[in-house]
Amino acid sequence: MRLTRCQAALAAAITVNLLVLFYVSWLQQQPRNARTRGPRRGTAAAGPHVTVLVREFEAFDNAVPELVDSFLQQDPAQPVVVAADVLPYPPLALPRIPNVHLALLQPALDQPAAASRPETYVATEFVALVPDGARAETPGRLERMAEVLRAGGARLVAARVASANPARCLALNVSQREWSARYGPAPSAPRCDALEGTPWCSLRARDLFNFSAPLARPLATASSLQTALRGWAVQLLDVTFPAARQPPLTTAHARWKAEREGRARRAALLRALGIRLVSWDGGRLEWFGCSKETPRCFGTVVGDTPSYLYEGRWTPPCCLRALRETARYVVGVLEAAGVRYWLEGGSLLGAARHGDIIPWDYDVDLGIYLEDVGNCEQLRGAEAGSVVDERGFVWEKAIEGDFFRVQYSESNHLHVDLWPFYPRNGVMTKDTWLDHRQDVEFPEHFLQPLVPLPFAGFMAQAPNNYRRFLELKFGPGVIESPEYPNPALLSLAGSS
């Protein structure tokens, strides 16, 4: 059958329409980022390369709508994402346009998983983290900050905002192993490790969303900890962005509430990221770990190997502080009561090695003369049951055997173990042996006389010739050869 010219034209038109429909359908099924990705370097510009991301604001008092509007006045197509954990209340009056999004970071039952992932809303190469109270009144600065990033040398660039809390550069050393962050003066401004205050920050979107906590608040603290740990250079530009004409938090009550919630967020952030001690420029210390009123930072120890060693960490600094305090207190009580004692086991090893508790140890061990137990009121009380003294320390008989334990508090079970020894034919022995490597008898002459040894910030009594004493307990060269308490489970060399 031959087609007429009219039928052929109709067939061709139908075919073209079907191809167009197929292409449009395919395009709509592609991921959002693939459809909206900006041009590669060297190609013509096709819209903004920077997404403005507003995260640092208080829901109860803010100027976020005015901040967003200041960007849209410069460029109506400027992508803006306002990120909040939950729906802000009072509601934010944001423009209902395609390039402005309100991203809620807390998952919701009625939303897909992507809705709570902030990267879903960002399709540009760069992100500007803009704090509430700033204004975009100078065109082109977003792109100029992006150009500094493109030039290399810094992975995050920042600028000050004209406010009561301007940003400044600091040095920062983050030690995951020691659960600590140490701030100091910046060695070579404008390059620095950390930012303090409320800065305006820009970085590549892929860098931001590769953070473990990309939008954790406070942003300056969270981003500084994560960039410092990665060794990224941070640059504070000699640029100041204007502040809002009517800034938020103008009342005393609003400022008080913001400061209170900011402290709570910061403490929660540091605990979540495993920071227990912050040392500030100037020497001020802040603790974010356990105390007498809380449980210790780790659970029951299995196989002499605490859980934190498996995490590549050593004893949390708050726990070391509590152990030092407990050891000093117990030694003071024993000395006042005339109880002869000496550093034992790993505690003596720590004193011999560096005058302190071993950085990964979880208790303190002292030997005592069994015949002196009756001299101490607290030990006599512990023979009959648990005793909480006037300082809140708990004295008790250990459930594992015939020895004493002094706990930091009723809530916090960091402790000092007191092992009663007695002489038999010139050899010190005891009634409870726990199959520890160092749990062996030894000649009494190591205790005659006892000698002072620095330990945990005070002078404690130790066996004379403690090197030979330790090598009897642990083996030759033990002082110079650090090792975890149970190398068969986890060795120091294998965890490095």
Side-chain angles (χ1 to χ4, degrees), residues 334 339-345 347 364-370 416-421 428 430 442 447 450 461 469 473:
L334 296 179
V339 175
R340 290 166 291 175
Y341 75 92
W342 61 94
L343 294 168
E344 260 289 349
S347 299
V364 170
D365 291 305
L366 300 177
I368 60 174
Y369 269 88
L370 176 62
V416 172
D417 284 335
L418 304 175
W419 300 91
F421 283 83
M428 298 299 291
K430 57 190 175 79
F442 59 91
L447 308 180
L450 293 166
Q461 295 296 306
F469 184 88
K473 295 259 185 176

PDB file of all heavy atoms in Angstrom, residues 334 339-345 347 364-370 416-421 428 430 442 447 450 461 469 473:
ATOM      1  N   LEU A 334      44.325   7.724 103.850  1.00  0.00           N
ATOM      2  CA  LEU A 334      45.188   6.638 104.325  1.00  0.00           C
ATOM      3  C   LEU A 334      46.368   7.183 105.129  1.00  0.00           C
ATOM      4  O   LEU A 334      46.713   6.634 106.194  1.00  0.00           O
ATOM      5  CB  LEU A 334      45.698   5.819 103.138  1.00  0.00           C
ATOM      6  CG  LEU A 334      44.641   5.070 102.313  1.00  0.00           C
ATOM      7  CD1 LEU A 334      45.305   4.337 101.158  1.00  0.00           C
ATOM      8  CD2 LEU A 334      43.829   4.108 103.163  1.00  0.00           C
ATOM      9  N   VAL A 339      47.773   4.293 107.565  1.00  0.00           N
ATOM     10  CA  VAL A 339      47.725   3.059 106.772  1.00  0.00           C
ATOM     11  C   VAL A 339      48.869   3.090 105.767  1.00  0.00           C
ATOM     12  O   VAL A 339      48.979   4.016 104.961  1.00  0.00           O
ATOM     13  CB  VAL A 339      46.371   2.925 106.035  1.00  0.00           C
ATOM     14  CG1 VAL A 339      46.374   1.700 105.122  1.00  0.00           C
ATOM     15  CG2 VAL A 339      45.226   2.837 107.037  1.00  0.00           C
ATOM     16  N   ARG A 340      49.733   2.082 105.819  1.00  0.00           N
ATOM     17  CA  ARG A 340      50.822   1.989 104.852  1.00  0.00           C
ATOM     18  C   ARG A 340      50.252   1.566 103.493  1.00  0.00           C
ATOM     19  O   ARG A 340      49.519   0.595 103.403  1.00  0.00           O
ATOM     20  CB  ARG A 340      51.860   0.988 105.335  1.00  0.00           C
ATOM     21  CG  ARG A 340      52.662   1.443 106.542  1.00  0.00           C
ATOM     22  CD  ARG A 340      53.431   0.284 107.166  1.00  0.00           C
ATOM     23  NE  ARG A 340      52.531  -0.665 107.807  1.00  0.00           N
ATOM     24  CZ  ARG A 340      52.918  -1.831 108.350  1.00  0.00           C
ATOM     25  NH1 ARG A 340      54.198  -2.193 108.292  1.00  0.00           N
ATOM     26  NH2 ARG A 340      52.029  -2.623 108.927  1.00  0.00           N
ATOM     27  N   TYR A 341      50.634   2.310 102.465  1.00  0.00           N
ATOM     28  CA  TYR A 341      50.118   2.027 101.126  1.00  0.00           C
ATOM     29  C   TYR A 341      51.249   2.240 100.126  1.00  0.00           C
ATOM     30  O   TYR A 341      52.275   2.857 100.427  1.00  0.00           O
ATOM     31  CB  TYR A 341      48.953   2.965 100.788  1.00  0.00           C
ATOM     32  CG  TYR A 341      49.423   4.370 100.460  1.00  0.00           C
ATOM     33  CD1 TYR A 341      49.705   4.758  99.139  1.00  0.00           C
ATOM     34  CD2 TYR A 341      49.677   5.304 101.471  1.00  0.00           C
ATOM     35  CE1 TYR A 341      50.196   6.028  98.856  1.00  0.00           C
ATOM     36  CE2 TYR A 341      50.170   6.562 101.192  1.00  0.00           C
ATOM     37  CZ  TYR A 341      50.429   6.912  99.881  1.00  0.00           C
ATOM     38  OH  TYR A 341      50.945   8.158  99.594  1.00  0.00           O
ATOM     39  N   TRP A 342      51.054   1.772  98.896  1.00  0.00           N
ATOM     40  CA  TRP A 342      52.008   1.999  97.810  1.00  0.00           C
ATOM     41  C   TRP A 342      51.283   1.876  96.464  1.00  0.00           C
ATOM     42  O   TRP A 342      50.241   1.235  96.348  1.00  0.00           O
ATOM     43  CB  TRP A 342      53.167   1.000  97.875  1.00  0.00           C
ATOM     44  CG  TRP A 342      52.743  -0.444  97.754  1.00  0.00           C
ATOM     45  CD1 TRP A 342      52.683  -1.207  96.622  1.00  0.00           C
ATOM     46  CD2 TRP A 342      52.308  -1.281  98.832  1.00  0.00           C
ATOM     47  NE1 TRP A 342      52.237  -2.468  96.910  1.00  0.00           N
ATOM     48  CE2 TRP A 342      52.003  -2.548  98.272  1.00  0.00           C
ATOM     49  CE3 TRP A 342      52.147  -1.102 100.221  1.00  0.00           C
ATOM     50  CZ2 TRP A 342      51.557  -3.614  99.032  1.00  0.00           C
ATOM     51  CZ3 TRP A 342      51.690  -2.168 100.965  1.00  0.00           C
ATOM     52  CH2 TRP A 342      51.388  -3.409 100.394  1.00  0.00           C
ATOM     53  N   LEU A 343      51.810   2.559  95.492  1.00  0.00           N
ATOM     54  CA  LEU A 343      51.269   2.451  94.137  1.00  0.00           C
ATOM     55  C   LEU A 343      51.499   1.046  93.611  1.00  0.00           C
ATOM     56  O   LEU A 343      52.603   0.492  93.737  1.00  0.00           O
ATOM     57  CB  LEU A 343      51.943   3.469  93.208  1.00  0.00           C
ATOM     58  CG  LEU A 343      51.666   4.941  93.495  1.00  0.00           C
ATOM     59  CD1 LEU A 343      52.631   5.817  92.690  1.00  0.00           C
ATOM     60  CD2 LEU A 343      50.226   5.298  93.153  1.00  0.00           C
ATOM     61  N   GLU A 344      50.463   0.499  93.021  1.00  0.00           N
ATOM     62  CA  GLU A 344      50.521  -0.865  92.514  1.00  0.00           C
ATOM     63  C   GLU A 344      50.241  -0.913  91.015  1.00  0.00           C
ATOM     64  O   GLU A 344      49.637   0.004  90.447  1.00  0.00           O
ATOM     65  CB  GLU A 344      49.477  -1.744  93.229  1.00  0.00           C
ATOM     66  CG  GLU A 344      50.017  -2.605  94.348  1.00  0.00           C
ATOM     67  CD  GLU A 344      50.887  -3.762  93.855  1.00  0.00           C
ATOM     68  OE1 GLU A 344      50.913  -4.029  92.633  1.00  0.00           O
ATOM     69  OE2 GLU A 344      51.558  -4.379  94.694  1.00  0.00           O
ATOM     70  N   GLY A 345      50.670  -2.014  90.382  1.00  0.00           N
ATOM     71  CA  GLY A 345      50.287  -2.349  89.020  1.00  0.00           C
ATOM     72  C   GLY A 345      50.477  -1.223  88.022  1.00  0.00           C
ATOM     73  O   GLY A 345      51.513  -0.557  87.949  1.00  0.00           O
ATOM     74  N   SER A 347      49.210   1.667  87.948  1.00  0.00           N
ATOM     75  CA  SER A 347      49.365   3.008  88.518  1.00  0.00           C
ATOM     76  C   SER A 347      50.836   3.293  88.817  1.00  0.00           C
ATOM     77  O   SER A 347      51.340   4.399  88.552  1.00  0.00           O
ATOM     78  CB  SER A 347      48.520   3.151  89.780  1.00  0.00           C
ATOM     79  OG  SER A 347      47.152   2.976  89.477  1.00  0.00           O
ATOM     80  N   VAL A 364      42.705   3.289  89.453  1.00  0.00           N
ATOM     81  CA  VAL A 364      43.976   3.452  90.166  1.00  0.00           C
ATOM     82  C   VAL A 364      44.087   2.308  91.157  1.00  0.00           C
ATOM     83  O   VAL A 364      43.103   1.945  91.819  1.00  0.00           O
ATOM     84  CB  VAL A 364      44.047   4.813  90.897  1.00  0.00           C
ATOM     85  CG1 VAL A 364      45.253   4.879  91.829  1.00  0.00           C
ATOM     86  CG2 VAL A 364      44.094   5.949  89.881  1.00  0.00           C
ATOM     87  N   ASP A 365      45.282   1.714  91.241  1.00  0.00           N
ATOM     88  CA  ASP A 365      45.512   0.587  92.148  1.00  0.00           C
ATOM     89  C   ASP A 365      46.519   0.972  93.225  1.00  0.00           C
ATOM     90  O   ASP A 365      47.610   1.494  92.915  1.00  0.00           O
ATOM     91  CB  ASP A 365      46.050  -0.622  91.369  1.00  0.00           C
ATOM     92  CG  ASP A 365      44.992  -1.224  90.457  1.00  0.00           C
ATOM     93  OD1 ASP A 365      43.908  -1.559  90.950  1.00  0.00           O
ATOM     94  OD2 ASP A 365      45.259  -1.346  89.242  1.00  0.00           O
ATOM     95  N   LEU A 366      46.149   0.704  94.468  1.00  0.00           N
ATOM     96  CA  LEU A 366      47.039   0.896  95.606  1.00  0.00           C
ATOM     97  C   LEU A 366      47.111  -0.398  96.394  1.00  0.00           C
ATOM     98  O   LEU A 366      46.083  -1.077  96.609  1.00  0.00           O
ATOM     99  CB  LEU A 366      46.523   2.006  96.532  1.00  0.00           C
ATOM    100  CG  LEU A 366      46.365   3.409  95.957  1.00  0.00           C
ATOM    101  CD1 LEU A 366      45.782   4.330  97.023  1.00  0.00           C
ATOM    102  CD2 LEU A 366      47.694   3.951  95.448  1.00  0.00           C
ATOM    103  N   GLY A 367      48.316  -0.758  96.829  1.00  0.00           N
ATOM    104  CA  GLY A 367      48.465  -1.838  97.792  1.00  0.00           C
ATOM    105  C   GLY A 367      48.448  -1.264  99.199  1.00  0.00           C
ATOM    106  O   GLY A 367      48.900  -0.137  99.426  1.00  0.00           O
ATOM    107  N   ILE A 368      47.902  -2.010 100.154  1.00  0.00           N
ATOM    108  CA  ILE A 368      47.910  -1.596 101.557  1.00  0.00           C
ATOM    109  C   ILE A 368      48.280  -2.809 102.424  1.00  0.00           C
ATOM    110  O   ILE A 368      48.144  -3.953 101.999  1.00  0.00           O
ATOM    111  CB  ILE A 368      46.550  -1.029 102.018  1.00  0.00           C
ATOM    112  CG1 ILE A 368      45.434  -2.082 101.857  1.00  0.00           C
ATOM    113  CG2 ILE A 368      46.201   0.246 101.274  1.00  0.00           C
ATOM    114  CD1 ILE A 368      44.088  -1.650 102.433  1.00  0.00           C
ATOM    115  N   TYR A 369      48.765  -2.520 103.617  1.00  0.00           N
ATOM    116  CA  TYR A 369      49.004  -3.591 104.584  1.00  0.00           C
ATOM    117  C   TYR A 369      47.672  -3.981 105.221  1.00  0.00           C
ATOM    118  O   TYR A 369      46.958  -3.136 105.769  1.00  0.00           O
ATOM    119  CB  TYR A 369      49.990  -3.133 105.656  1.00  0.00           C
ATOM    120  CG  TYR A 369      51.436  -3.419 105.337  1.00  0.00           C
ATOM    121  CD1 TYR A 369      52.198  -2.498 104.611  1.00  0.00           C
ATOM    122  CD2 TYR A 369      52.034  -4.595 105.752  1.00  0.00           C
ATOM    123  CE1 TYR A 369      53.541  -2.745 104.317  1.00  0.00           C
ATOM    124  CE2 TYR A 369      53.376  -4.858 105.473  1.00  0.00           C
ATOM    125  CZ  TYR A 369      54.113  -3.938 104.752  1.00  0.00           C
ATOM    126  OH  TYR A 369      55.440  -4.194 104.465  1.00  0.00           O
ATOM    127  N   LEU A 370      47.366  -5.278 105.158  1.00  0.00           N
ATOM    128  CA  LEU A 370      46.110  -5.764 105.721  1.00  0.00           C
ATOM    129  C   LEU A 370      45.998  -5.442 107.213  1.00  0.00           C
ATOM    130  O   LEU A 370      44.913  -5.079 107.697  1.00  0.00           O
ATOM    131  CB  LEU A 370      46.013  -7.287 105.508  1.00  0.00           C
ATOM    132  CG  LEU A 370      44.799  -7.985 106.113  1.00  0.00           C
ATOM    133  CD1 LEU A 370      43.494  -7.451 105.506  1.00  0.00           C
ATOM    134  CD2 LEU A 370      44.893  -9.503 105.915  1.00  0.00           C
ATOM    135  N   VAL A 416      39.262   3.873  92.864  1.00  0.00           N
ATOM    136  CA  VAL A 416      40.579   3.435  93.329  1.00  0.00           C
ATOM    137  C   VAL A 416      40.386   2.092  94.020  1.00  0.00           C
ATOM    138  O   VAL A 416      39.527   1.958  94.899  1.00  0.00           O
ATOM    139  CB  VAL A 416      41.195   4.456  94.299  1.00  0.00           C
ATOM    140  CG1 VAL A 416      42.479   3.896  94.927  1.00  0.00           C
ATOM    141  CG2 VAL A 416      41.473   5.771  93.592  1.00  0.00           C
ATOM    142  N   ASP A 417      41.157   1.086  93.596  1.00  0.00           N
ATOM    143  CA  ASP A 417      41.118  -0.221  94.257  1.00  0.00           C
ATOM    144  C   ASP A 417      42.237  -0.307  95.286  1.00  0.00           C
ATOM    145  O   ASP A 417      43.389   0.076  95.011  1.00  0.00           O
ATOM    146  CB  ASP A 417      41.273  -1.346  93.241  1.00  0.00           C
ATOM    147  CG  ASP A 417      39.999  -1.585  92.432  1.00  0.00           C
ATOM    148  OD1 ASP A 417      38.911  -1.253  92.938  1.00  0.00           O
ATOM    149  OD2 ASP A 417      40.090  -2.102  91.297  1.00  0.00           O
ATOM    150  N   LEU A 418      41.904  -0.803  96.474  1.00  0.00           N
ATOM    151  CA  LEU A 418      42.859  -0.965  97.573  1.00  0.00           C
ATOM    152  C   LEU A 418      43.043  -2.459  97.817  1.00  0.00           C
ATOM    153  O   LEU A 418      42.092  -3.152  98.225  1.00  0.00           O
ATOM    154  CB  LEU A 418      42.349  -0.280  98.839  1.00  0.00           C
ATOM    155  CG  LEU A 418      42.019   1.215  98.708  1.00  0.00           C
ATOM    156  CD1 LEU A 418      41.403   1.746 100.000  1.00  0.00           C
ATOM    157  CD2 LEU A 418      43.276   1.998  98.371  1.00  0.00           C
ATOM    158  N   TRP A 419      44.276  -2.970  97.589  1.00  0.00           N
ATOM    159  CA  TRP A 419      44.550  -4.405  97.668  1.00  0.00           C
ATOM    160  C   TRP A 419      45.282  -4.713  98.975  1.00  0.00           C
ATOM    161  O   TRP A 419      46.425  -4.311  99.153  1.00  0.00           O
ATOM    162  CB  TRP A 419      45.411  -4.832  96.481  1.00  0.00           C
ATOM    163  CG  TRP A 419      44.745  -4.556  95.159  1.00  0.00           C
ATOM    164  CD1 TRP A 419      44.845  -3.447  94.396  1.00  0.00           C
ATOM    165  CD2 TRP A 419      43.854  -5.434  94.480  1.00  0.00           C
ATOM    166  NE1 TRP A 419      44.082  -3.562  93.262  1.00  0.00           N
ATOM    167  CE2 TRP A 419      43.460  -4.774  93.279  1.00  0.00           C
ATOM    168  CE3 TRP A 419      43.351  -6.713  94.739  1.00  0.00           C
ATOM    169  CZ2 TRP A 419      42.586  -5.357  92.362  1.00  0.00           C
ATOM    170  CZ3 TRP A 419      42.496  -7.293  93.824  1.00  0.00           C
ATOM    171  CH2 TRP A 419      42.115  -6.626  92.648  1.00  0.00           C
ATOM    172  N   PRO A 420      44.632  -5.417  99.907  1.00  0.00           N
ATOM    173  CA  PRO A 420      45.288  -5.734 101.192  1.00  0.00           C
ATOM    174  C   PRO A 420      46.302  -6.886 101.043  1.00  0.00           C
ATOM    175  O   PRO A 420      45.943  -8.006 100.653  1.00  0.00           O
ATOM    176  CB  PRO A 420      44.119  -6.164 102.091  1.00  0.00           C
ATOM    177  CG  PRO A 420      42.857  -5.798 101.349  1.00  0.00           C
ATOM    178  CD  PRO A 420      43.218  -5.836  99.908  1.00  0.00           C
ATOM    179  N   PHE A 421      47.555  -6.613 101.313  1.00  0.00           N
ATOM    180  CA  PHE A 421      48.620  -7.613 101.305  1.00  0.00           C
ATOM    181  C   PHE A 421      49.061  -7.886 102.743  1.00  0.00           C
ATOM    182  O   PHE A 421      48.904  -7.037 103.628  1.00  0.00           O
ATOM    183  CB  PHE A 421      49.831  -7.105 100.505  1.00  0.00           C
ATOM    184  CG  PHE A 421      49.669  -7.166  99.011  1.00  0.00           C
ATOM    185  CD1 PHE A 421      48.993  -6.159  98.322  1.00  0.00           C
ATOM    186  CD2 PHE A 421      50.212  -8.225  98.286  1.00  0.00           C
ATOM    187  CE1 PHE A 421      48.871  -6.204  96.949  1.00  0.00           C
ATOM    188  CE2 PHE A 421      50.093  -8.271  96.906  1.00  0.00           C
ATOM    189  CZ  PHE A 421      49.414  -7.258  96.226  1.00  0.00           C
ATOM    190  N   MET A 428      55.213 -10.820 100.225  1.00  0.00           N
ATOM    191  CA  MET A 428      53.893 -10.191 100.312  1.00  0.00           C
ATOM    192  C   MET A 428      52.903 -10.961  99.448  1.00  0.00           C
ATOM    193  O   MET A 428      53.129 -11.185  98.254  1.00  0.00           O
ATOM    194  CB  MET A 428      53.956  -8.733  99.858  1.00  0.00           C
ATOM    195  CG  MET A 428      54.866  -7.854 100.714  1.00  0.00           C
ATOM    196  SD  MET A 428      54.357  -7.760 102.447  1.00  0.00           S
ATOM    197  CE  MET A 428      52.837  -6.815 102.316  1.00  0.00           C
ATOM    198  N   LYS A 430      48.370 -12.035  99.139  1.00  0.00           N
ATOM    199  CA  LYS A 430      47.002 -11.589  99.429  1.00  0.00           C
ATOM    200  C   LYS A 430      46.040 -12.736  99.174  1.00  0.00           C
ATOM    201  O   LYS A 430      46.444 -13.811  98.703  1.00  0.00           O
ATOM    202  CB  LYS A 430      46.619 -10.346  98.621  1.00  0.00           C
ATOM    203  CG  LYS A 430      46.724 -10.448  97.114  1.00  0.00           C
ATOM    204  CD  LYS A 430      46.544  -9.060  96.480  1.00  0.00           C
ATOM    205  CE  LYS A 430      46.758  -9.093  94.965  1.00  0.00           C
ATOM    206  NZ  LYS A 430      45.605  -9.602  94.233  1.00  0.00           N
ATOM    207  N   PHE A 442      55.494 -10.839  95.864  1.00  0.00           N
ATOM    208  CA  PHE A 442      56.779 -10.156  95.718  1.00  0.00           C
ATOM    209  C   PHE A 442      57.445 -10.051  97.093  1.00  0.00           C
ATOM    210  O   PHE A 442      56.768 -10.058  98.131  1.00  0.00           O
ATOM    211  CB  PHE A 442      56.601  -8.765  95.099  1.00  0.00           C
ATOM    212  CG  PHE A 442      55.693  -7.850  95.894  1.00  0.00           C
ATOM    213  CD1 PHE A 442      56.207  -7.014  96.882  1.00  0.00           C
ATOM    214  CD2 PHE A 442      54.321  -7.844  95.672  1.00  0.00           C
ATOM    215  CE1 PHE A 442      55.387  -6.182  97.614  1.00  0.00           C
ATOM    216  CE2 PHE A 442      53.487  -7.003  96.394  1.00  0.00           C
ATOM    217  CZ  PHE A 442      54.015  -6.168  97.368  1.00  0.00           C
ATOM    218  N   LEU A 447      59.176  -2.921 100.022  1.00  0.00           N
ATOM    219  CA  LEU A 447      58.384  -1.954 100.785  1.00  0.00           C
ATOM    220  C   LEU A 447      59.145  -1.422 101.994  1.00  0.00           C
ATOM    221  O   LEU A 447      58.577  -0.667 102.791  1.00  0.00           O
ATOM    222  CB  LEU A 447      57.076  -2.598 101.248  1.00  0.00           C
ATOM    223  CG  LEU A 447      56.235  -3.290 100.169  1.00  0.00           C
ATOM    224  CD1 LEU A 447      54.966  -3.873 100.795  1.00  0.00           C
ATOM    225  CD2 LEU A 447      55.879  -2.329  99.050  1.00  0.00           C
ATOM    226  N   LEU A 450      59.451   2.431 101.846  1.00  0.00           N
ATOM    227  CA  LEU A 450      58.718   3.022 100.725  1.00  0.00           C
ATOM    228  C   LEU A 450      59.380   4.341 100.353  1.00  0.00           C
ATOM    229  O   LEU A 450      60.012   4.999 101.187  1.00  0.00           O
ATOM    230  CB  LEU A 450      57.259   3.250 101.108  1.00  0.00           C
ATOM    231  CG  LEU A 450      56.427   1.981 101.351  1.00  0.00           C
ATOM    232  CD1 LEU A 450      55.117   2.330 102.061  1.00  0.00           C
ATOM    233  CD2 LEU A 450      56.148   1.252 100.032  1.00  0.00           C
ATOM    234  N   GLN A 461      53.402   7.238  97.782  1.00  0.00           N
ATOM    235  CA  GLN A 461      54.399   6.272  98.223  1.00  0.00           C
ATOM    236  C   GLN A 461      54.509   5.143  97.195  1.00  0.00           C
ATOM    237  O   GLN A 461      53.502   4.701  96.623  1.00  0.00           O
ATOM    238  CB  GLN A 461      54.025   5.692  99.585  1.00  0.00           C
ATOM    239  CG  GLN A 461      54.031   6.719 100.713  1.00  0.00           C
ATOM    240  CD  GLN A 461      55.424   7.274 100.948  1.00  0.00           C
ATOM    241  OE1 GLN A 461      56.385   6.538 101.157  1.00  0.00           O
ATOM    242  NE2 GLN A 461      55.544   8.601 100.907  1.00  0.00           N
ATOM    243  N   PHE A 469      60.826  -3.838  90.707  1.00  0.00           N
ATOM    244  CA  PHE A 469      59.498  -4.256  91.142  1.00  0.00           C
ATOM    245  C   PHE A 469      58.564  -4.408  89.931  1.00  0.00           C
ATOM    246  O   PHE A 469      57.859  -5.413  89.798  1.00  0.00           O
ATOM    247  CB  PHE A 469      58.947  -3.217  92.126  1.00  0.00           C
ATOM    248  CG  PHE A 469      57.620  -3.561  92.731  1.00  0.00           C
ATOM    249  CD1 PHE A 469      57.536  -4.305  93.896  1.00  0.00           C
ATOM    250  CD2 PHE A 469      56.441  -3.128  92.147  1.00  0.00           C
ATOM    251  CE1 PHE A 469      56.309  -4.609  94.466  1.00  0.00           C
ATOM    252  CE2 PHE A 469      55.204  -3.427  92.706  1.00  0.00           C
ATOM    253  CZ  PHE A 469      55.134  -4.164  93.871  1.00  0.00           C
ATOM    254  N   LYS A 473      56.801  -7.734  88.011  1.00  0.00           N
ATOM    255  CA  LYS A 473      55.356  -7.844  87.775  1.00  0.00           C
ATOM    256  C   LYS A 473      55.023  -8.024  86.293  1.00  0.00           C
ATOM    257  O   LYS A 473      54.178  -8.833  85.919  1.00  0.00           O
ATOM    258  CB  LYS A 473      54.651  -6.588  88.290  1.00  0.00           C
ATOM    259  CG  LYS A 473      54.729  -6.379  89.796  1.00  0.00           C
ATOM    260  CD  LYS A 473      53.454  -6.801  90.458  1.00  0.00           C
ATOM    261  CE  LYS A 473      53.448  -6.502  91.950  1.00  0.00           C
ATOM    262  NZ  LYS A 473      52.153  -6.838  92.563  1.00  0.00           N
TER     263      LYS A 473
END
